[in-house]
Amino acid sequence: MSEKKRAFRRVVLKLSGEALREVGSQDNISPEIVGRIALEIKDGHQAGVEIAIVVGGGNFWRGASASARGMDRATADYVGMMATVMNALAVQSALEAEGVPCAVQSAIEMKNVAEPFIRRKATRHLSEGTVVIFAAGTGSPFFSTDTTSALRASEMGACAILKATMVDGVYNADPKKDASATRYETISFKRCLSDELAVMDSTAFSLCMDNNVPIIVFDLNVHGNIADVIKGAPIGTIVSNQG
């Protein structure tokens, strides 16, 4: 994938649950933040890019943390899946308020609030210009929403996963702890694995590598970055098989 030009037909945007909350706020979901994210997604959508979204649930619940404190892991993960549905509905509401057609598909059936995940229907939605938000993870415990992103991107034939983070790319060390840390413009999956660079969990990473789905890691906190990365601006770090 060229650093100068990234022409996307279809992407999966991965947002953390915490991305929906104002820093320092007592809110689980801050409507102003969700509204700003929706405006940026609208900008990318108007550019003609087909957009799917996977959002985490960490602003409400973290299954792994609850499990570490003694809760049954599978149950803890199912609670986390419910959290992602709440976030998906909030994003859907904000997008529809901006006039962007949007559908939520849940991997766990809850017909009163979301469609069930059906791959062919999701593909049709995307091809017709509807933004699709994939909720409830993979529908099974022990899998993260990063893995959901990798799985859905592979199923949908997405050109890339756009992973919104708190840093502006992948570094050779933690930039918050090491002032000399260097950011990569591009890096290979194999190099990330050999250098133990935390981009996604190992299951998600393997899916992306095996199915040749590039990951673009970019900074969510810079206003306009979501729209820009959707439209192909050369920001962040590209992780791919080519490197």
Side-chain angles (χ1 to χ4, degrees), residues 184-206:
Y184 297 102
E185 298 291 336
T186 63
I187 188 170
S188 68
F189 289 118
K190 289 183 179 179
R191 178 72 181 274
C192 284
L193 288 171
S194 65
D195 291 359
E196 298 182 345
L197 302 177
V199 177
M200 285 185 167
D201 65 78
S202 58
T203 304
F205 215 64
S206 294

Side-chain angles (χ1 to χ4, degrees), residues 135-149:
T138 65
S140 299
F142 303 102
F143 294 100
S144 70
T145 49
D146 276 350
T147 298
T148 304
S149 301

Side-chain angles (χ1 to χ4, degrees), residues 13 23 48 78:
L13 173 65
V23 176
Y78 280 119

Side-chain angles (χ1 to χ4, degrees), residues 41-192:
I41 294 170
K42 177 183 179 180
D43 191 352
H45 180 264
Q46 289 178 331
V49 181
E50 297 173 9
I51 303 168
I53 301 170
V54 173
V55 61
N59 52 328
F60 285 106
W61 183 264
R62 286 194 173 276
S65 298
S67 175
R69 294 166 63 186
M71 189 173 187
D72 172 71
R73 175 61 190 271
T75 301
D77 282 353
Y78 280 119
V79 175
M81 291 178 216
M82 299 303 102
T84 71
V85 176
M86 290 189 283
N87 286 337
L89 293 175
V91 175
Q92 178 189 42
S93 178
L95 284 169
E96 290 180 340
E98 295 298 331
V100 178
C102 184
V104 174
Q105 288 202 347
S106 173
I108 297 174
E109 186 174 354
M110 42 186 72
K111 60 185 178 181
N112 288 349
V113 297
E115 299 176 3
F117 169 67
I118 300 172
R119 185 183 66 84
R120 292 181 63 140
K121 189 171 184 179
T123 301
R124 185 168 68 250
H125 276 321
L126 291 170
S127 64
E128 292 174 350
T130 298
V131 173
V132 180
I133 306 175
F134 295 117
T138 65
S140 299
F142 303 102
F143 294 100
S144 70
T145 49
D146 276 350
T147 298
T148 304
S149 301
L151 177 60
R152 298 295 184 241
S154 299
E155 289 177 302
M156 296 298 109
C159 300
I161 295 172
L162 313 179
K163 183 173 170 61
T165 68
M166 304 302 287
V167 292
D168 62 345
V170 179
Y171 284 76
N172 62 350
D174 188 341
K176 295 180 180 179
K177 298 178 181 178
D178 186 348
S180 65
T182 301
R183 184 175 71 86
Y184 297 102
E185 298 291 336
T186 63
I187 188 170
S188 68
F189 289 118
K190 289 183 179 179
R191 178 72 181 274
C192 284

